[in-house]
Amino acid sequence: MMLQALVYWCIMEFNSLTFAVFLLVVFAVHWFMLNRRGWTMARNLFLLAVSYVFYGAWDWRFLSLIAFSSAVDFWVGLRMDGLVTKSERKPWLVVSLVVNLGLLAAFKYFDFFLDSAQDLAALFGWDGERLRLNWILPVGISFYTFQTLSYSLDLYHGRMKATRDPVAFFAFVAFFPQLVAGPIERARNLLPHFERISAFDSKAVRSGLFLLLWGLFKKVVLADRLALFVNQGYAQPDQVDAHTFLILLVFFPWQLYLDFSAYSDIAIGAARMLGFPLTTNFRQPMFPLGFADFWRRWHITLTRWFRDYLYAPIRKKRAGKWWKGVSVMVVFFATGLWHGATWNFVVWGLVCGLSLVFLEPLLGKLLVRFKGQMWVNTVVICVTVLCMDSSLIWFRSPDISTAIELFGAMGKGWGAWSPLDWGLTQGEYRLAWMGLFLSIAVDIALLRKPDLPERFMSGNGMKRWALSWLLVMGIILAGSYGININDEEFIYFQF
Amino acid sequence: MEQGQTKRILTFLIEGFVGLILILAPIRWADQRGLFDNGSDENSVERWASLRQYQDRIPVDVLILGNSHAYTGLSPEWLSAATGMTCFVLGFRGTDVTDHYWVLREALLHVKPQLVLVETTGIGFREEADNLFIERMSLVNQLLAFHARQDELLKAESLPELFELEDFLTAWSPTVMNHHLWWTEPEKVRENIYRAEPYNPTFKRCYFGGYSRFSSGVEDTTLVAYRELGGVLRGGEQYVSEAHANEVRRVVDLGREVGFNVGFFTLPMHEEFLVESEARSAFLREVFEPLGAPWINFQDSTRWLSNPDLFENTLTRNQHLTVEGALTVNQPLASWVLDTFEGLDQPGLRGDSSWHATFMDRKGYHAYFPAQTNSPSVKHVARDVKLQNKVLDQVVFHQDYRTSERFMDVTTRIPQSWLTKLDPRELVVVLPIVIQTGEGQERSGKLNLRLNDHVNDGKNWVFQSRMNAGEILRVGAASLARK
């Protein structure tokens, strides 16, 4: 009964009051009771327990997957430890890859490949009874699988030593702030923090709290407001014309960016409040100097994962531009598939890859030829943003035909559209644009002064208080939440 | 843990606490100023305001709890007239028995009723909400009912029982709940800002909580739809959960503890709207019988269930009584109350002057009590008017104070003679009258009055007619005629 009540109260998302209470309790217990010298294991046990409660609130059955995945990689780690050569370690890496990617394939990709195979067979007239597993996709499986895989891969490459503390390792894999949607941490960065007790750092905790509030503001006030329009547009693609297509073209990329970077900010903020540093996941990606620059700024931890563990090994096999292009396309095929087991994600990934292979060199030449000139930077940013924003139509559409229909809307002409047509008010529309301009202004400021957050946090206390107060009041009074509004899940929860 | 670290953590927590106050204080201020008020929901604010305003002057004898079924399906004024007691409907839209319990707790701070009646639609019905829309509508209604309450301590105590943690802030603060007004209805917020005081209604006369919403009954096409659907609601699905059964027990226990009677009543729905009603009745019986709680179930009274005029024209999963329906159940409910609960003090029957002063111009009063000539609603009274070889007790020409509709009522004791063999529904009273028209001319004519079937207390017959032109100067000897 107690456990049932506990779980009931913990069905939580980051943008919920329940999570706020949960974090407060974890924070208090963590710092007041468990953060003592020699209490590392107790602290880790506590973090593991609360992380499992956090995840189990969604569906406790899938805790077994995380536990199994963690156990296999911990065991593989112990086996690899002490083995001198890569060839000795290789069989154990294969075990880890087979188990982790096998789970991912079974839960996420099996039906997709089966459907595709059956569709293909049907083309040749072999149409029989359709088979499907119809398994539920466990939340965050792509994230924690990659995180735990990075441990085995780093051990294989000899980049780190295996841990002998199972509790620390399990807590590292399941650490609740980043369990469901990243950032995807490397064991060699985060695991050491689970192996020691850190002192309470008021400055870090304050900056963590501020980052968390900023993330909440981005999610509830900015991203979810844009979502109201985006959801309406994508729900009725036949009603979209050139006018509304343009709105979707602008709104969805910003919604996605604000939503996902909000999640990352909250995750990083919450972890920082508990004394764990997580890796930055976004760095003003909406102002990229080319496609490569975009991927250096967007979902940084995933891009780096693919760069280090997929692109680099393939690229190493052969030299030459042609092979480089193939490597890029393989990586982006995998990136598309990582996001979702549907063909529209594959198309999105391939479009991104093609942009990088064919357009990036042209933009690069332009940047070199007119180095430092403002107008060139502007042109490059505009071209990149336009291409990336268009590619995201594939990303957001539920299927390929919807995406094609939406692209076709450009030829429908400029209709007279009002937010009322989508059941929304002019006030909401104005607010959406105001939020968008605010986001642009903040990102430009951060581009010009990347150290602004640090300077702000160590600067005038009154300013910090005032801005924190404004953020919270903004969330309460301008947030897109309420009984009559569908609470928007974080978009990346589905991956 | 080192001393300095503890100090740093405490400093941080204190800062957080101060921050929390700095955030909650302006929201509290906005709540109190009513900056994000969105108006009252079917008089939810007015009911409490009236109860508080009149608590010292008009003791409430019968407190009726429930949801919209209670305040649309009952007329507290008619019920007061029929029982001779002050009846007050403290109902709130979309609420269930858990809300009723807390409403009762708060109401007891203001009144000491002799009897608490609970309408049973809120027992079990809400929990079967199986889609998001109904669930959200129920939550909205619950929140509005919660906002209408004022006692902070009781509200805090009831919060965890009524809402999930996620809804605590919305429940506590109308500002949080209605924050969207400043971009959906900015003129409303502007209006609230310029209003000197937050909305707090005052009443010249006590308001007893009724709210008529449905004036016409079920249409033929709707009846056809009921038949095609095989009913909109199935009694077998309307079970009572353990949680709700416990809430019923709490209400009964509270009555025993504080010292008031508790009874339950079920208002009917059309027989083709609610099918398998006996299953629903069985679920309710299982709850009430072990508690020994008196219960009257109008869904069992087959007399009315097929009459479409009594029921709301709806295909949603919620059917209320019409005004006609409310009047139909009034007398049987009053009779049940008086028969079931012994020893009730009836101020109307013992001639309590303040009670009569309160009700003498209200609906239903003239059907049960002699008209008071000083009543502002009474335009003309004639007594002992001849009706063939009988004498009518009174003829009253009166005007409804709210709707300004005018009625002529003729009241007579049910005779023990040959007239009893007649069915009064088949008769009309023909009353010669002399009126003065608006232009000052005298005109004579005859008025046909039909039996008001709702007043069926076994003592009097009341014949009534609507009469909107002129002022009565005098009435002549009446006669009976067949329709």
Side-chain angles (χ1 to χ4, degrees):
Chain A
M1 191 69 183
M2 274 292 287
L3 188 67
Q4 198 184 357
L6 185 68
V7 168
Y8 173 77
W9 278 76
C10 292
I11 296 173
M12 65 188 95
E13 282 190 37
F14 279 178
N15 52 339
S16 68
L17 201 58
T18 320
F19 178 74
V21 174
F22 172 84
L23 185 63
L24 188 68
V25 172
V26 172
F27 177 86
V29 174
H30 172 78
W31 287 115
F32 268 118
M33 296 168 68
L34 300 171
N35 199 54
R36 296 155 194 262
R37 215 165 287 146
W39 282 48
T40 316
M41 183 172 275
R43 192 272 316 261
N44 288 343
L45 267 175
F46 171 71
L47 288 177
L48 178 63
V50 294
S51 297
Y52 276 16
V53 166
F54 177 86
Y55 191 83
W58 167 70
D59 193 329
W60 59 270
R61 291 170 302 173
F62 292 112
L63 281 174
S64 56
L65 280 185
I66 301 181
F68 179 64
S69 189
S70 309
V72 167
D73 282 306
F74 180 72
W75 177 68
V76 162
L78 291 179
R79 291 287 163 183
M80 278 201 236
D81 202 28
L83 299 177
V84 182
T85 62
K86 274 189 176 180
S87 55
E88 284 175 309
R89 294 193 289 263
K90 200 165 195 170
W92 299 109
L93 176 66
V94 171
V95 170
S96 172
L97 287 171
V98 166
V99 169
N100 287 299
L101 295 180
L103 286 175
L104 195 58
F107 281 91
K108 191 165 177 174
Y109 299 109
F110 190 83
D111 282 346
F112 169 67
F113 285 119
L114 203 62
D115 281 345
S116 303
Q118 288 171 135
D119 287 344
L120 193 66
L123 281 179
F124 294 98
W126 303 321
D127 207 359
E129 194 187 336
R130 291 269 167 162
L131 299 171
R132 282 194 123 245
L133 284 180
N134 285 323
W135 285 357
I136 302 170
L137 178 66
V139 167
I141 188 169
S142 307
F143 287 92
Y144 68 73
T145 301
F146 271 37
Q147 179 152 319
T148 184
L149 264 181
S150 76
Y151 174 68
S152 322
L153 286 161
D154 280 350
L155 286 176
Y156 169 73
H157 289 295
R159 291 172 186 149
M160 66 177 294
K161 287 213 161 289
T163 180
R164 301 202 157 266
D165 180 348
V167 180
F169 183 75
F170 275 59
F172 151 73
V173 175
F175 190 42
F176 72 88
Q178 43 84 247
L179 171 63
V180 176
I184 301 167
E185 287 298 327
R186 304 292 174 85
R188 62 177 188 271
N189 293 338
L190 189 59
L191 194 53
H193 292 275
F194 282 90
E195 289 168 338
R196 62 168 183 259
I197 290 290
S198 49
F200 182 87
D201 178 354
S202 308
K203 205 175 150 190
V205 171
R206 278 195 192 95
S207 85
L209 180 61
F210 186 81
L211 195 58
L212 189 147
L213 292 177
W214 172 237
L216 270 177
F217 183 85
K218 280 204 286 189
K219 166 70 181 161
V220 180
V221 181
L222 307 178
D224 287 355
R225 178 84 47 212
L226 296 172
L228 296 175
F229 293 87
V230 171
N231 292 347
Q232 287 293 327
Y234 277 90
Q236 42 195 346
D238 54 325
Q239 304 293 316
V240 174
D241 60 8
H243 184 172
T244 39
F245 177 79
L246 199 65
I247 291 171
L248 296 180
L249 193 68
V250 175
F251 276 15
F252 177 64
W254 276 94
Q255 184 213 340
L256 182 67
Y257 161 54
L258 291 167
D259 186 283
F260 193 19
S261 67
Y263 186 93
S264 297
D265 286 348
I266 297 169
I268 295 168
R272 199 181 288 171
M273 285 176 73
L274 297 173
F276 294 87
L278 298 185
T279 313
T280 302
N281 220 10
F282 289 88
R283 205 173 280 129
Q284 296 80 52
M286 305 308 263
F287 299 94
L289 277 174
F291 296 96
D293 192 41
F294 175 85
W295 290 107
R296 279 192 291 271
R297 297 169 178 279
W298 178 277
H299 202 174
I300 295 166
T301 53
L302 179 72
T303 311
R304 282 186 189 163
W305 197 100
F306 276 121
R307 183 196 64 191
D308 293 349
Y309 301 121
L310 189 62
Y311 177 76
I314 300 173
R315 184 79 183 90
K316 237 169 37 183
K317 289 193 186 299
R318 279 186 208 175
K321 277 185 185 173
W322 182 84
W323 186 247
K324 185 183 173 188
V326 170
S327 314
V328 168
M329 291 311 290
V330 169
V331 166
F332 277 93
F333 174 78
T335 305
L337 213 53
W338 180 90
H339 280 85
T342 52
W343 283 108
N344 51 306
F345 281 116
V346 175
V347 173
W348 170 73
L350 293 176
V351 169
C352 293
L354 289 171
S355 312
L356 206 56
V357 172
F358 294 107
L359 292 178
E360 177 68 9
L362 298 176
L363 296 180
K365 277 179 190 162
L366 206 61
L367 283 172
V368 173
R369 172 78 179 77
F370 301 99
K371 196 175 177 187
Q373 295 201 27
M374 185 72 171
W375 70 268
V376 181
N377 290 358
T378 311
V379 167
V380 170
I381 289 173
C382 289
V383 169
T384 315
V385 166
L386 190 64
C387 290
M388 290 313 298
D389 286 4
S390 310
S391 76
L392 287 170
I393 299 280
W394 298 102
F395 186 100
R396 176 61 177 81
S397 298
D399 47 50
I400 287 182
S401 58
T402 306
I404 292 170
E405 195 173 357
L406 282 168
F407 280 115
M410 280 190 289
K412 282 188 186 170
W414 193 270
W417 173 83
S418 145
L420 290 172
D421 299 340
W422 286 355
L424 298 159
T425 63
Q426 200 67 41
E428 278 168 319
Y429 190 52
R430 267 197 297 269
L431 218 55
W433 277 108
M434 280 163 62
L436 193 60
F437 288 130
L438 176 69
S439 315
I440 291 170
V442 169
D443 270 15
I444 289 175
L446 288 170
L447 272 176
R448 293 168 69 91
K449 292 178 182 171
D451 62 339
L452 197 62
E454 287 76 30
R455 278 167 51 191
F456 176 72
M457 286 316 296
S458 53
N460 187 327
M462 282 307 287
K463 277 187 193 165
R464 210 171 49 236
W465 271 84
L467 192 56
S468 305
W469 186 85
L470 280 175
L471 285 179
V472 179
M473 294 310 281
I475 292 165
I476 293 172
L477 295 178
S480 176
Y481 68 92
I483 300 151
N484 295 320
I485 293 174
N486 287 323
D487 291 334
E488 287 292 327
E489 265 194 355
F490 284 96
I491 293 174
Y492 265 68
F493 270 24
Q494 59 186 299
F495 308 133
Chain B
M1 193 162 38
E2 58 170 298
Q3 189 66 29
Q5 180 161 308
T6 313
K7 205 173 157 187
R8 285 200 298 275
I9 299 171
L10 277 175
T11 310
F12 177 78
L13 288 177
I14 290 167
E15 275 180 32
F17 183 70
V18 172
L20 201 63
I21 289 172
L22 287 177
I23 289 154
L24 294 181
I27 291 175
R28 186 79 184 137
W29 175 80
D31 285 345
Q32 286 178 339
R33 280 286 283 109
L35 295 189
F36 288 86
D37 272 359
N38 198 14
S40 176
D41 178 61
E42 296 196 345
N43 289 353
S44 56
V45 175
E46 286 78 356
R47 279 185 197 95
W48 281 114
S50 178
L51 194 76
R52 283 190 288 267
Q53 196 179 333
Y54 284 90
Q55 57 180 319
D56 301 325
R57 286 150 62 184
I58 304 167
V60 171
D61 301 304
V62 181
L63 186 69
I64 299 154
L65 304 173
N67 48 33
S68 56
H69 289 264
Y71 61 72
T72 58
L74 286 182
S75 163
E77 292 172 336
W78 272 93
L79 193 61
S80 298
T83 55
M85 295 190 282
T86 304
C87 300
F88 196 106
V89 179
L90 200 55
F92 298 93
R93 183 160 76 165
T95 53
D96 66 23
V97 65
T98 314
D99 303 273
H100 303 346
Y101 170 78
W102 289 102
V103 164
L104 175 59
R105 287 276 304 273
E106 187 157 337
L108 291 176
L109 300 176
H110 305 288
V111 294
K112 290 190 177 106
Q114 302 180 58
L115 170 64
V116 169
L117 292 177
V118 183
E119 205 283 318
T120 62
T121 321
I123 301 173
F125 260 59
R126 202 179 70 113
E127 292 190 324
E128 51 77 47
D130 54 359
N131 72 49
L132 195 62
F133 178 73
I134 295 177
E135 203 176 287
R136 288 199 173 166
M137 282 313 294
S138 302
L139 181 59
V140 169
N141 291 329
Q142 251 196 317
L143 289 166
L144 291 171
F146 189 80
H147 289 166
R149 287 168 51 195
Q150 280 201 338
D151 189 83
E152 305 285 352
L153 280 176
L154 275 176
K155 280 174 82 172
E157 199 182 334
S158 62
L159 199 62
E161 276 191 30
L162 293 172
F163 302 103
E164 289 176 11
L165 176 62
E166 217 43 58
D167 300 315
F168 276 17
L169 268 180
T170 319
W172 198 259
S173 164
T175 302
V176 173
M177 179 170 171
N178 299 327
H179 71 283
H180 57 87
L181 283 181
W182 73 263
W183 66 82
T184 53
E185 292 178 58
E187 62 288 348
K188 182 91 199 164
V189 179
R190 210 171 298 129
E191 195 182 296
N192 290 339
I193 290 171
Y194 290 125
R195 197 173 55 198
E197 292 290 326
Y199 179 59
N200 186 19
T202 52
F203 302 89
K204 284 185 184 163
R205 304 146 58 85
C206 181
Y207 163 61
F208 293 100
Y211 189 89
S212 306
R213 206 163 75 185
F214 307 104
S215 50
S216 59
V218 183
E219 292 167 7
D220 291 344
T221 49
T222 314
L223 278 176
V224 172
Y226 290 168
R227 272 163 220 153
E228 283 171 1
L229 290 168
V232 177
L233 279 182
R234 305 202 161 273
E237 294 166 3
Q238 314 301 324
Y239 65 91
V240 179
S241 66
E242 202 184 316
H244 275 196
N246 283 335
E247 295 299 333
V248 170
R249 191 173 304 121
R250 279 218 291 186
V251 173
V252 173
D253 288 347
L254 188 63
R256 286 183 186 136
E257 196 182 306
V258 177
F260 54 79
N261 296 290
V262 177
F264 296 85
F265 66 102
T266 300
L267 291 175
M269 294 177 185
H270 192 274
E271 61 188 3
E272 291 182 88
F273 177 90
L274 172 63
V275 294
E276 300 168 13
S277 63
E278 59 288 350
R280 164 76 176 158
S281 302
F283 288 138
L284 289 172
R285 196 173 299 111
E286 269 178 41
V287 177
F288 298 133
E289 270 186 1
L291 297 172
W295 169 49
I296 184 163
N297 182 9
F298 291 114
Q299 196 70 45
D300 284 349
S301 310
T302 50
R303 191 151 65 102
W304 308 312
L305 300 181
S306 59
N307 183 352
D309 295 337
L310 309 188
F311 303 100
E312 178 195 354
N313 183 44
T314 182
L315 281 169
T316 61
R317 296 165 64 82
N318 201 11
Q319 189 180 51
H320 301 83
L321 287 175
T322 56
V323 175
E324 180 72 10
L327 291 178
T328 305
V329 297
N330 186 65
Q331 185 59 57
L333 181 62
S335 302
W336 176 74
V337 164
L338 297 175
D339 294 345
T340 309
F341 301 97
E342 290 174 359
L344 293 175
D345 175 38
Q346 294 167 268
L349 289 196
R350 67 172 155 77
D352 184 295
S353 56
S354 69
W355 190 91
H356 285 281
T358 304
F359 285 99
M360 65 185 177
D361 58 346
R362 302 298 180 113
K363 280 180 180 169
Y365 182 82
H366 303 118
Y368 293 91
F369 296 96
Q372 309 280 317
T373 46
N374 61 343
S375 162
S377 75
V378 172
K379 300 291 174 191
H380 184 88
V381 181
R383 299 193 198 282
D384 302 332
V385 175
K386 280 193 174 171
L387 169 67
Q388 290 167 340
N389 58 344
K390 294 291 299 171
V391 173
L392 297 174
D393 289 327
Q394 68 174 357
V395 173
V396 188
F397 178 49
H398 60 97
Q399 181 171 2
D400 189 290
Y401 75 95
R402 260 197 314 228
T403 62
S404 299
E405 285 179 308
R406 293 168 166 208
F407 296 95
M408 181 69 92
D409 279 7
V410 164
T411 310
T412 178
R413 268 188 292 273
I414 295 176
Q416 301 301 315
S417 63
W418 56 271
L419 275 173
T420 51
K421 291 171 189 159
L422 298 173
D423 181 353
R425 291 184 196 88
E426 298 293 317
L427 300 175
V428 288
V429 169
V430 183
L431 187 68
I433 54 170
V434 179
I435 62 165
Q436 187 172 37
T437 62
E439 293 79 40
Q441 294 169 331
E442 274 192 27
R443 289 174 66 176
S444 58
K446 286 181 177 175
L447 200 61
N448 290 344
L449 298 100
R450 291 166 195 276
L451 184 81
N452 182 343
D453 199 16
H454 305 309
V455 186
N456 191 10
D457 62 353
K459 294 176 202 155
N460 293 308
W461 284 345
V462 176
F463 293 85
Q464 192 175 59
S465 173
R466 211 176 279 250
M467 211 203 86
N468 285 326
E471 297 293 336
I472 300 284
L473 293 176
R474 45 189 185 275
V475 297
S479 61
L480 277 173
R482 285 189 178 275
K483 271 188 194 172

